Amino acid sequence: MSESLNSVRMRAERQGLHVSGAERLVPFSDVEEVALSMVTRALHHPRGPVTKISLQVDLISAATVQFGQLPDLFNNQVTCWQHGRQLASELLLSCKVAPAAIERTMATLAKGAALNNTSMRGAMLVDAESGVRLEEDHVRGVRASRMDLTDEARTELRALLAANQLDNQHVVEALILAAKVVSAPQVIAELCWSDDPDYVAGYVASQRTGYQRISLLKPSGEERGGRAFFVCCARNQLNSLVEWLEKEPMLINKIGRIHPPKKWRGK
Ligand code: WAQ
Ligand code: MG
């Protein structure tokens, strides 16, 4: 790739509480339009109103861009969020996350993983064996950043998602984020549910399972959401993992399969 890219990042808050964030990697010609749409989105966010919007644009050298691929999407339909969390636990177990680590992390996300029991700005970093939280700052967490789809991959993905009634911004952004995060060999799985009160779906993602979308992972109206990256990582490699997740650019030029909905009835 010869053309340089720009990382465009937005974060919005209300009196210190995280409201919304967005990440794109785009050519210079698209910076203005993308930046404007992020500001518009922050101003009209369902978790709003906001009191501060931060926008950051950084030039990225083409030589540093890594290429990636989206995971396959599996569309699990559950009838209640309790079943959703059961399914998420099973999937995380299949990735070899320890049962106590799963239980502890879910409880933390459910009560709000930041201080004052609110949502964090970024993700928890959790030792997959012990369940211990490893992120330095429990409010900010770790922010996966500088990842996006190529235009061609975005067009292809949105057509495929639309054919499966899944074409919305949450799905597109979550697939991109998960693609980068689970491509790190130290991350054995990711768990996520939204902090938007009306968006009740979430997922477990890993190299092993792909992106396992779960239709319900929380009750409607709930604003406590979050992400946990389960890692198997020596302490002295943690800084470089976080640095890679937050700074290294990844452009995704290949999409995955979208599987049809499948009912899951609980155990
Ligand atoms: N890096 C790390 N953690 C993040 C990031 C990031 N870039 N962005 C958000 N988070 C954390 C933060 O704690 C948020 O509170 C939480 O994730 C949820 O973020 O298949 O909408 O943007 O239908 O609300 C998943 C299901 C939707 C999509 C996820 O997340 C589907 C969603 P939100
Ligand atoms: Mg949100």
Side-chain angles (χ1 to χ4, degrees), residues 103-125:
E103 209 171 303
R104 190 166 160 182
T105 304
M106 289 235 197
T108 306
L109 286 180
K111 78 162 181 49
L115 305 172
N116 323 323
N117 297 346
T118 56
S119 297
M120 296 168 71
R121 303 206 287 275
M124 298 165 70
L125 207 58

Side-chain angles (χ1 to χ4, degrees), residues 1 5 8 18 26 32 43 61 80 99 102 111 119 124 139 144 155 165 167 170 179 204 210 223 246 257 266:
M1 173 188 283
L5 287 174
V8 186
H18 176 72
V26 296
E32 199 172 330
L43 288 172
S61 140
C80 60
I102 298 171
K111 78 162 181 49
S119 297
M124 298 165 70
V139 178
T155 306
Q165 286 79 51
D167 184 25
H170 292 269
V204 168
E223 290 208 30
E246 296 195 334
R257 295 179 61 187

Side-chain angles (χ1 to χ4, degrees), residues 233-249:
C233 184
R235 286 271 172 162
N236 62 4
Q237 289 174 7
L238 269 181
N239 285 345
S240 59
L241 172 64
V242 171
E243 177 84 10
W244 184 85
L245 290 167
E246 296 195 334
K247 302 270 166 63
E248 290 301 322

Side-chain angles (χ1 to χ4, degrees), residues 31-46:
V31 170
E32 199 172 330
E33 187 192 327
V34 165
L36 181 63
S37 78
M38 283 183 183
V39 172
T40 305
R41 167 175 168 178
L43 288 172
H44 302 287
H45 200 276

Side-chain angles (χ1 to χ4, degrees), residues 1 12 52 55 68 115 124 126 140 151 163 180 189 209 214 243 250 264:
M1 173 188 283
K52 178 177 174 182
L55 190 74
L115 305 172
M124 298 165 70
V126 179
R140 178 183 182 276
D151 280 349
K180 180 175 181 193
T209 59
I214 301 173
E243 177 84 10
M250 177 177 279
W264 193 84

Side-chain angles (χ1 to χ4, degrees), residues 196-208:
D196 295 18
D198 299 331
Y199 204 82
V200 289
Y203 64 89
V204 168
S206 73
Q207 291 289 358
R208 215 189 99 75

Side-chain angles (χ1 to χ4, degrees), residues 18-21 45 47 170 194-196:
H18 176 72
V19 170
S20 163
H45 200 276
R47 275 160 62 76
H170 292 269
S194 179
D195 55 16
D196 295 18

